[in-house]
Amino acid sequence: MLADSHCHLNYKGLVERRDEVLAHARARGVTAMLNIATRESEWDDVVATAEQEPDVWATVGIHPHEADKHPDVDTAKLVGRAAHPRVVGIGESGLDYYYDHSDRDRQKASFRSHIAAARETGLPIVVHTRDAEDDTAAILREEMGKGPYPGVIHCFTASDAFADIALDLGFYISISGIVTFKNARELQATAARLPIERLLIETDAPFLAPVPHRGKPGEPAFVADTAAYLANLRGEPLDELCSRTAENFHALFAKTRA
Ligand SMILES: [Zn+2]
Ligand SMILES: [Zn+2]
C-alpha cells in the first residue's frame, strides 16, 4: 500500500500520457492517488478521471493563485460539487504570498469559503501555504473556533513551529519530494520527527520530482522514492512507512473507503 496524497493528473506533462503514468505508479506499488483541482474549469476533468480509475479520487477547489478569477465560487458551489461520490476533499486552497498571483484579501476570502465547505461536508481541506504561515495559522485557528473541520497541510515547507500549530489543530502533514533535496535541512528535521499517525506523502506531480528524478516531470510513481527517503530519514522499515501513510490517507479522506 502506498498513497500519493496530492497530484495533478490533468496537468500538461501528465494528461497526454495518463495510461502510462498510472501504469508506472501501479508498478511501483501506488494504490491510491488524489487528483487535486486548482480551478473550476478542471472540476469536470478531475471528477471524470476519478470515475474512470478505481485508485484515483478527486478534490474540488480553487488554488490561491486563481482566487481573483473565481469570485463566484462560494461555499455552496463547493459543497454542491463535493456531493459526488468520488470527490473526497476540498481544495487545494490557502494562501500564497510568494507569488502573490491573487490579491491577498481575495485569497483569504476564498480560503475561508473552502474551510466552511470542509466543515459543512466533513471532507478534509487540502491547504496550500507559501510564505504566509502567520496568516494561514490565524485563519485555521479562528475558523476552527467556529466548528471543527479536518485537513492536511500539503507540500509542507513551513517552519517547524508551524508544524506544531497544524498538529495541534488536528491536521495531517503531507511531505513532498522537496524533502529529498540537499538544501532542505529544516524540512528534513521536521519530517524526521512528525508523528507517524499524522504523516502523508505526496508528489505534487507534475511538479517537484524527487531525487533521483530531478529535472523530469514528476509523476505519482515517484512517491515511492520519497517514501524510501523518508523511511531512511526516520529510521522506519519502508513497508511500514508505506502502509501507515496509506492508512492515514484513507483515514483522513474517509470517503475513499466507501
Ligand atoms: Zn499547492
Ligand atoms: Zn498542487
Side-chain angles (χ1 to χ4, degrees), residues 6 8 36 38 63 92 154 204:
H6 191 115
H8 300 280
I36 304 285
T38 59
H63 193 284
E92 61 185 289
H154 111 82
D204 207 6

Side-chain angles (χ1 to χ4, degrees), residues 6-8 11 36-38 63 92 126 128 154-155 202-208:
H6 191 115
C7 59
H8 300 280
Y11 272 32
I36 304 285
T38 59
H63 193 284
E92 61 185 289
V126 177
H128 172 109
H154 111 82
C155 192
E202 69 173 73
T203 58
D204 207 6
F207 310 112
L208 301 174

